[in-house]
Amino acid sequence: MEEYRIGQLYATTVESRNKTDGDSAVQIFENRPFEDHQVYGSGQYTHKRMHFGSKLPSFLDYILPASYKVVDEKSFNTFPTCHTGTLTIMLLINLAEYIHEKFPTSKMVVRTVHVEDDDGRRANVFNLPPERLSQRQVVHLDLALDGITPDKPKHRNPQLVKSEKTHRGPLRRGWVKSLKGEGHPVMCAYKLIDCTFDSYLLWAASGSFAGYVKDLMLDFNQYVYCLMDQWYGLTIEDIRSIEAEFRDEADRIVKYAGIEEREKTPSSTKSA
């Protein structure tokens, strides 16, 4: 679990750097530990701003007005329980707020649980009641087998990446059983996306949205694996130093590129 925590934080920073160009950027305003919070207890607090710009898929670009393409995320990270914390969830939260504003009886709630020594076979990790279980659709995502297309970059393809530091990979069919048999740690991230729509437009777009979220989550976690030799052995102090370096870099890019000024212009505002 600690390995994944380090890997996830490292990959988030790298991916944020990858997405910081043109009219898109990720800024970090605060990144500090917190204790004795009345709701979340102790963990790491971050305040980020994501400028999505033109990096949204077409159906989300159509639904969301310009003001919702700039997201302020205030995250309480109490891993293994996550309250936001990834670019995917930032977008989900913002879309959820827009849906609630325009369609008050619609809702979208996202919950995440990470389980140690788990291969994804738990039937009801969120303890849903029987009537909810009958409505639930389960999608299993395999890092080695799913989302591997001919045009997938080699450095993001777990079928082609072997960790020299840990001697893990490349990943093949049956990799979970194989790695567990060799004594390597295995865990599973469970995500529950609970949606209720009172608009035909939202319902019609839900299939595309679900596919987009699935692809984002899968690709990010494959990238966490593929970056293993970069983050394996790092400490949380190393991660905080890397995050601070990126924070300064992103601020310079946003200021130099004039991203915030362009977002304030009337031409950037789109009616819903």
Side-chain angles (χ1 to χ4, degrees):
M1 291 283 277
E2 183 61 19
E3 280 189 21
Y4 180 76
R5 179 190 181 208
I6 294 294
Q8 183 189 55
L9 291 171
Y10 180 84
T12 297
T13 301
V14 172
E15 196 75 319
S16 297
R17 181 178 282 112
N18 293 341
K19 294 180 183 298
T20 300
D21 66 86
D23 61 352
S24 304
V26 180
Q27 291 179 278
I28 302 175
F29 296 129
E30 285 190 81
N31 188 7
R32 57 175 174 77
F34 67 89
E35 296 181 356
D36 301 323
H37 191 279
Q38 60 181 356
V39 177
Y40 303 120
S42 301
Q44 189 76 14
Y45 171 81
T46 59
H47 177 192
K48 299 179 183 179
R49 176 169 295 165
M50 177 64 186
H51 306 263
F52 285 101
S54 58
K55 291 191 181 297
L56 289 176
S58 58
F59 72 93
L60 281 177
D61 187 48
Y62 177 78
I63 292 175
L64 291 174
S67 60
Y68 281 84
K69 295 175 186 176
V70 181
V71 180
D72 265 48
E73 177 221 32
K74 297 180 180 180
S75 174
F76 294 86
N77 192 339
T78 57
F79 190 86
T81 302
C82 294
H83 312 275
T84 73
T86 69
L87 299 184
T88 305
I89 301 305
M90 289 166 64
L91 182 56
L92 289 174
I93 295 294
N94 217 38
L95 181 57
E97 291 178 353
Y98 177 67
I99 289 172
H100 182 69
E101 177 183 317
K102 298 298 181 181
F103 309 98
T105 60
S106 296
K107 71 171 184 176
M108 180 169 57
V109 179
V110 182
R111 297 165 58 192
T112 305
V113 174
H114 299 91
V115 183
E116 192 170 13
D117 192 24
D118 187 275
D119 59 2
R121 298 179 182 273
R122 296 185 182 233
N124 190 13
V125 70
F126 293 100
N127 297 317
L128 298 177
E131 62 272 16
R132 299 290 307 288
L133 281 177
S134 65
Q135 300 172 344
R136 183 190 61 176
Q137 296 181 8
V138 178
V139 178
H140 294 279
L141 299 179
D142 189 312
L143 295 187
L145 303 179
D146 295 322
I148 308 298
T149 58
D151 60 344
K152 192 173 184 67
K154 292 182 178 180
H155 69 282
R156 302 182 77 107
N157 188 340
Q159 292 185 3
L160 302 177
V161 174
K162 176 180 175 62
S163 168
E164 300 299 330
K165 288 184 177 180
T166 65
H167 306 290
R168 301 171 192 167
L171 300 186
R172 299 286 188 264
R173 185 179 300 276
W175 65 274
V176 173
K177 183 178 180 179
S178 176
L179 287 179
K180 289 183 71 174
E182 295 172 4
H184 294 293
V186 175
M187 58 155 288
C188 181
Y190 293 86
K191 292 188 179 290
L192 176 66
I193 304 176
D194 186 3
C195 301
T196 302
F197 297 138
D198 65 357
S199 161
Y200 177 78
L201 173 63
L202 295 176
W203 177 84
S206 62
S208 296
F209 177 72
Y212 173 67
V213 172
K214 176 182 72 69
D215 292 344
L216 274 180
M217 292 178 176
L218 179 62
D219 182 65
F220 175 76
N221 281 281
Q222 288 172 332
Y223 198 36
V224 172
Y225 164 81
C226 291
L227 291 173
M228 189 178 300
D229 279 354
Q230 295 185 31
W231 56 257
Y232 186 82
L234 296 181
T235 65
I236 193 64
E237 289 76 18
D238 296 326
I239 294 295
R240 299 307 175 206
S241 177
I242 293 170
E243 291 172 338
E245 180 182 342
F246 169 70
R247 171 180 175 174
D248 295 339
E249 177 186 338
D251 285 344
R252 289 194 298 270
I253 291 174
V254 169
K255 182 177 181 180
Y256 178 78
I259 292 175
E260 291 179 326
E261 292 304 314
R262 288 202 303 271
E263 290 167 346
K264 295 176 184 178
T265 61
S267 61
S268 69
T269 303
K270 174 181 170 184
S271 60

